[in-house]
Amino acid sequence: MKINTNSNLYTFIYASVMVILVAAGLAFTAYKLQPAQDKNVRVEKMQNILQSVGIESTVDNAEELFGKYVIKQIVVNTKGEEIKGSAFDVNLKQQFKAKDEEKQLPMYFVKLDDGSTKTIIPLTGKGLWGPIWGYLSLNDDFNTIYGAVFDHKGETPGLGAEINKDSFEDQLNGKKLFEGTELVSITAHKGGKGSALKAGDTQHGIDAISGGTITSKGLEKMLKEEWLFAYKAFLSKNLK
Amino acid sequence: MGKNMKLVTNPLNLNNPILVQILGICSALAVTVKLEPAIVMAVSVTLVVAFANVIISLLRNTIPSRIRIIVQLVVIAALVIVVDQILKAYSYTVSKQLSVFVGLIITNCILMGRLEAFALGNKPWQSFLDGVGNGGGYSLILIIVAFVRELLGSGTLTLPSVGEIQIIPQSFYDAGYQNNGLVILPPAALIIVGVIIWVQRSYTRELIDEKE
């Protein structure tokens, strides 16, 4: 029997069967691969946290090193009080959107080989095309930046995407968050290399990326009102 | 065999999807700032177009002609999502570098073009070869464009699993050489593709239109 492939009934059945089969296939693939993907995300988070204090780890030893160096993880609220919760499992994206009084702010404390302790603050913000995020580590004066790592979802390669390069991240080393007792954080100066210096802003200024101004400004906002200022109470309380 | 061979070699030059059919320009502009994403993109597109061709070719006698475009899209989208998920699970770093580009394979005109023009009317094996050939032709141009753009735009070349290699020595920069910012922007890719088309046509008589 020759089937009329142009009849309405055939078309409907064909489309329905195809969609169901494909959906089932994709759902199965996603379900099977989920654990491996989740593990990748966790390991990457640990690697990023470690990297912000200058510890290089590989995919294989990240979990072990994380357990060794991270001595304490806490969650604070915007009043600077410690609240219940697991810092590692806090979903930053949700906290980014949450109202100030409901924000859960994770922090990590790391003890390095030389005995010094560093505080690590996870960051999240908006770039030009999508989310950007990072980790900022502070010396135990809660003021001087020890190191920073940034990453992005889909910024323009060669332009905004440069925020995850060492040459950009290293600019933050040694910068101060506070001016006196006021939290002023970091400003990205437009105009290419040396523009922060030109503006006379050696304590809080970094050079924005030429051609990546929107990403740089998004990053600056992440280090200011959009995210980091939520930690103000906690940082001010501990400022030395 | 000679005929089958032609299915693979023709799209590399005489019937190149980018240079002659002017398909797939969009991604040729988007992913060619650095060499590495261009290479991974080229491999992914070749795989997806080859297997989508085979699947559509196998189904070609059952597909209702009124919804054939939708069927093609579903096949492509499903394959792309599978590729994306596998990359995320087993090659996380590469998947991160490609970010949105893997998803963008779905919108690559070459895929729809080959499914519509070839796979719907040909046997699976020929369709597979046609997919490999067209993927190859696309890859070739993508890699040439990315090579030129990264070299002039960033002074480096980035290879998968090797990483970034500085090609232009620091002494050049010290002497006042600067990376060309225009080359990083999409219009430069269009110019480079234009130059490649020019070169190709001046060597290939068959492609030159007869004077009226």
Side-chain angles (χ1 to χ4, degrees):
Chain A
M1 189 187 78
K2 180 103 175 79
I3 305 165
N4 176 9
T5 56
N6 281 322
S7 76
N8 284 344
L9 183 68
Y10 180 82
T11 307
F12 270 120
I13 295 174
Y14 194 92
S16 317
V17 170
M18 176 184 71
V19 169
I20 292 168
L21 283 182
V22 170
L26 288 182
F28 181 75
T29 316
Y31 177 73
K32 278 285 163 200
L33 295 176
Q34 194 68 43
Q37 294 174 355
D38 286 347
K39 185 166 174 279
N40 285 333
V41 174
R42 278 180 68 86
V43 166
E44 199 210 3
K45 193 170 173 182
M46 289 178 182
Q47 282 188 294
N48 279 335
I49 292 173
L50 290 173
Q51 205 197 335
S52 72
V53 285
I55 301 169
E56 291 299 332
S57 57
T58 64
V59 175
D60 300 315
N61 68 8
E63 250 165 301
E64 183 194 329
L65 289 177
F66 189 83
K68 183 178 157 201
Y69 286 106
V70 177
I71 47 172
K72 200 165 84 166
Q73 309 182 21
I74 61 165
V75 183
V76 297
N77 61 17
T78 44
K79 290 187 206 119
E81 299 153 351
E82 201 174 325
I83 53 176
K84 254 201 256 170
S86 150
F88 199 81
D89 297 322
V90 170
N91 183 339
L92 282 191
K93 246 187 228 156
Q94 281 169 12
Q95 302 311 319
F96 185 75
K97 290 190 207 125
K99 283 186 223 129
D100 269 354
E101 51 270 31
E102 286 165 11
K103 276 199 165 88
Q104 297 173 15
L105 308 166
M107 300 180 90
Y108 307 89
F109 294 91
V110 173
K111 197 177 172 89
L112 295 184
D113 286 334
D114 62 6
S116 61
T117 43
K118 311 287 174 201
T119 312
I120 300 171
I121 299 176
L123 305 165
T124 179
K126 288 181 291 209
L128 173 58
W129 304 117
I132 54 175
W133 59 91
Y135 294 90
L136 191 69
S137 67
L138 304 174
N139 283 341
D140 52 10
D141 59 358
F142 288 90
N143 183 12
T144 316
I145 295 173
Y146 179 71
V149 286
F150 300 111
D151 213 344
H152 62 92
K153 179 133 192 239
E155 299 305 300
T156 322
L159 301 174
E162 300 285 305
I163 58 166
N164 64 9
K165 294 280 156 66
D166 289 346
S167 53
F168 181 79
E169 292 163 354
D170 290 349
Q171 289 191 79
L172 280 107
N173 299 354
K175 297 278 186 264
K176 309 274 184 198
L177 289 182
F178 284 89
E179 183 76 56
T181 54
E182 195 197 347
L183 181 57
V184 292
S185 195
I186 302 298
T187 305
H189 291 274
K190 210 177 147 175
K193 256 193 189 130
S195 45
L197 202 62
K198 234 180 269 168
D201 193 1
T202 51
Q203 291 274 298
H204 309 285
I206 55 168
D207 302 331
I209 298 156
S210 322
T213 307
I214 300 180
T215 311
S216 309
K217 281 291 162 191
L219 186 125
E220 178 188 313
K221 278 190 194 147
M222 170 168 90
L223 290 166
K224 287 187 170 172
E225 69 271 11
E226 277 190 354
W227 182 252
L228 191 70
F229 281 5
Y231 286 84
K232 195 174 187 169
F234 184 88
L235 293 173
S236 305
K237 223 194 294 186
N238 292 285
L239 179 66
K240 277 173 207 151
Chain B
M1 190 57 210
K3 217 170 158 192
N4 282 351
M5 213 42 213
K6 268 206 157 130
L7 289 173
V8 180
T9 53
N10 242 354
L12 293 181
N13 182 19
L14 273 185
N15 203 9
N16 189 290
I18 296 186
L19 299 183
V20 181
Q21 302 170 29
I22 320 290
L23 287 175
I25 294 283
C26 356
S27 53
L29 305 186
V31 301
T32 50
V33 175
K34 301 252 161 170
L35 198 52
E36 183 180 17
I39 292 172
V40 183
M41 180 75 173
V43 173
S44 314
V45 167
T46 307
L47 284 177
V48 172
V49 75
F51 285 104
N53 257 357
V54 172
I55 294 173
I56 289 294
S57 173
L58 286 170
L59 295 175
R60 70 186 185 281
N61 292 326
T62 69
I63 298 174
S65 65
R66 272 181 298 178
I67 59 163
R68 66 182 196 286
I69 301 279
I70 299 173
V71 175
Q72 292 164 13
L73 263 182
V74 169
V75 169
I76 296 169
L79 281 174
V80 168
I81 293 171
V82 169
V83 168
D84 189 34
Q85 293 284 324
I86 291 177
L87 280 180
K88 262 191 197 143
Y90 299 113
S91 184
Y92 193 62
T93 32
V94 175
S95 137
K96 265 187 50 198
Q97 280 159 352
L98 283 173
S99 61
V100 293
F101 300 136
V102 174
L104 283 178
I105 296 175
I106 299 172
T107 62
N108 194 313
C109 326
I110 295 171
L111 272 83
M112 291 291 287
R114 290 332 291 168
L115 295 182
E116 182 73 10
F118 197 91
L120 273 177
N122 286 283
K123 293 206 177 83
W125 176 237
Q126 274 86 352
S127 300
F128 178 75
L129 292 176
D130 179 75
V132 171
N134 276 282
Y138 170 81
S139 308
L140 189 68
I141 304 306
L142 217 63
I143 290 168
I144 296 175
V145 176
F147 179 84
V148 175
R149 284 182 78 187
E150 184 169 2
L151 191 62
L152 297 181
S154 310
T156 56
L157 289 176
T158 322
L159 294 170
S161 80
V162 180
E164 200 169 79
I165 311 161
Q166 188 72 34
I167 300 289
I168 312 247
Q170 188 58 38
S171 54
F172 274 50
Y173 291 100
D174 296 338
Y177 173 85
Q178 282 203 344
N179 288 327
N180 189 336
L182 175 68
V183 182
I184 289 179
L185 300 172
L190 211 54
I191 296 170
I192 296 169
V193 171
V195 171
I196 298 175
I197 291 177
W198 176 30
V199 171
Q200 186 203 24
R201 300 223 165 180
S202 51
Y203 278 97
T204 324
R205 310 291 321 165
E206 296 98 305
L207 290 173
I208 301 170
D209 295 330
E210 296 279 332
K211 279 212 181 87
E212 299 261 318

